[in-house]
Amino acid sequence: TWTFDEVTGELAIDGSGAMYSYDEFDYYEWSNIKDSITSVVINGAENVGKNAFNGCTNLKEVMLGETTASVDDYAFANCDSLTAVTIPYSGNVTVTDSAFENHSDKLTLIADALNTETATYAQNNSIVFIPVSYDSEKKILSFGNTFTVYQNTDYYFLNYYILKNSECEYLHFDKLVFDGVLTDSYEAQEFENLDPDAENLTFVDLY
């Protein structure tokens, strides 16, 4: 089943098992609203079907489900506004070569640090990969490599990983960069208290 929020532009997909794969995007039930979709949240599906979101030019962010273990051919092809895809599956996720065909230079894949298959895919396709890990005490949530914050993206993954482990107290970014975030914008206000010399960021700094 799926629902669409006309106010936020979020398409939520809930279910179990495999998502259908089609040779043409027009076969998907949400194809008639593809220009209005700005975010996608998937729960329960084992995969993202072939051509599922091909040509969703205003899609900015995707949150895959914890059971989603593969991203099929052209699933997010020609989504030239897509900047963040979170892959929370605990093991390796198979991403086909064409899954993000014609992607934006800003596209970032965020996944478990042990998900080496997605990391290799990202490297081979000139996509930024952000590995996610916790310290041994589960107190520090770390995002590796260089994470770039872009304007008008909600970054669902922060809430997901924070809520996943209630004992976590700090965020750590290897390198945090702001691109196109104006000093008087909402996004910049959220981060205005950050200490550039801090080793970690407490959650109070972010919310």
Side-chain angles (χ1 to χ4, degrees):
T1 61
W2 62 278
T3 57
F4 179 67
D5 189 320
E6 295 182 357
V7 176
T8 64
E10 178 182 295
L11 177 69
I13 300 174
D14 293 280
S16 60
M19 184 184 291
Y20 289 119
S21 288
Y22 294 113
D23 289 333
E24 300 291 339
F25 172 77
D26 291 342
Y27 286 104
Y28 280 95
E29 297 178 61
W30 50 82
S31 62
N32 63 324
I33 58 169
K34 71 176 184 178
D35 292 337
S36 300
I37 299 172
T38 58
S39 62
V40 170
V41 178
I42 297 176
N43 290 300
E46 296 175 356
N47 67 313
V48 183
K50 181 180 179 180
N51 282 309
F53 305 100
N54 190 343
C56 291
T57 56
N58 292 311
L59 178 61
K60 298 176 181 177
E61 184 169 8
V62 173
M63 183 79 202
L64 299 185
E66 294 183 347
T67 58
T68 306
S70 66
V71 183
D72 298 343
D73 291 336
Y74 308 106
F76 297 102
N78 304 302
C79 296
D80 50 16
S81 297
L82 188 57
T83 57
V85 177
T86 303
I87 305 174
Y89 186 73
S90 58
N92 276 316
V93 173
T94 301
V95 183
T96 64
D97 289 339
S98 63
F100 295 96
E101 189 171 89
N102 298 324
H103 62 81
S104 164
D105 291 340
K106 296 180 179 180
L107 178 59
T108 300
L109 302 183
I110 304 151
D112 191 290
L114 299 177
N115 189 345
T116 55
E117 193 166 327
T118 298
T120 300
Y121 169 84
Q123 183 178 11
N124 292 341
N125 289 274
S126 301
I127 298 173
V128 175
F129 178 74
I130 302 296
V132 183
S133 61
Y134 296 92
D135 70 318
S136 59
E137 296 181 350
K138 301 288 187 179
K139 297 288 187 181
I140 301 174
L141 172 59
S142 295
F143 299 93
N145 298 331
T146 299
F147 183 80
T148 302
V149 177
Y150 295 107
Q151 196 168 14
N152 301 320
T153 302
D154 292 327
Y155 296 110
Y156 291 100
F157 74 91
L158 280 176
N159 282 335
Y160 168 79
Y161 283 109
I162 289 170
L163 294 174
K164 184 178 180 180
N165 192 331
S166 60
E167 297 179 356
C168 197
E169 298 178 2
Y170 304 99
L171 293 180
H172 172 85
F173 292 89
D174 281 2
K175 186 176 182 180
L176 191 61
V177 176
F178 295 88
D179 184 288
V181 181
L182 303 177
T183 55
D184 59 349
S185 70
Y186 176 75
E187 290 91 344
Q189 291 173 15
E190 285 187 310
F191 290 91
E192 64 183 359
N193 294 323
L194 298 190
D195 179 358
D197 298 320
E199 172 98 15
N200 300 299
L201 308 176
T202 61
F203 291 164
V204 70
D205 291 326
L206 294 173
Y207 297 96

